[in-house]
Amino acid sequence: QNLRTGNIPYGWRLDETTQRLVEVPDEHSALERMRLAASLGSGPAAIARELNGDGIPSPRGNGWNRKTVWRILQGIKTEGGN
């Protein structure tokens, strides 16, 4: 039936009508910031501080931390990009 299982990656949401993943533009902007900062040598803790400082909402709404940023960056590497 092609039903989705598992967690929905940051930057995406499930369209209730089509049951397909659709891009969340604000979250994709945050993903791009993370990618760029990491490519320029920033570590997860520095990236988390930057996102928090700029008021970017975290996936759970409780602020960014190094572990969350690290996990998202690892997902980007293993999935070939979000």
Side-chain angles (χ1 to χ4, degrees):
Q1 280 187 336
N2 236 2
L3 296 177
R4 170 107 181 121
T5 61
N7 293 327
I8 297 172
Y10 182 77
W12 300 91
R13 71 173 176 80
L14 185 65
D15 182 290
E16 296 297 327
T17 304
T18 65
Q19 294 298 302
R20 294 185 184 269
L21 293 178
V22 294
E23 186 177 305
V24 178
D26 289 343
E27 292 181 3
H28 267 264
S29 294
L31 288 170
E32 283 303 314
R33 288 180 64 172
M34 285 186 252
R35 282 186 191 112
L36 178 60
S39 73
L40 295 173
S42 293
I47 295 169
R49 281 191 300 275
E50 182 181 317
L51 294 171
N52 286 324
D54 290 342
I56 307 298
S58 66
R60 294 189 180 177
N62 57 351
W64 291 95
N65 62 60
R66 66 171 181 75
K67 187 173 182 179
T68 301
V69 171
W70 182 85
R71 186 175 35 81
I72 288 173
L73 289 172
Q74 291 304 306
I76 291 169
K77 287 180 189 176
T78 59
E79 294 170 12
N82 276 347

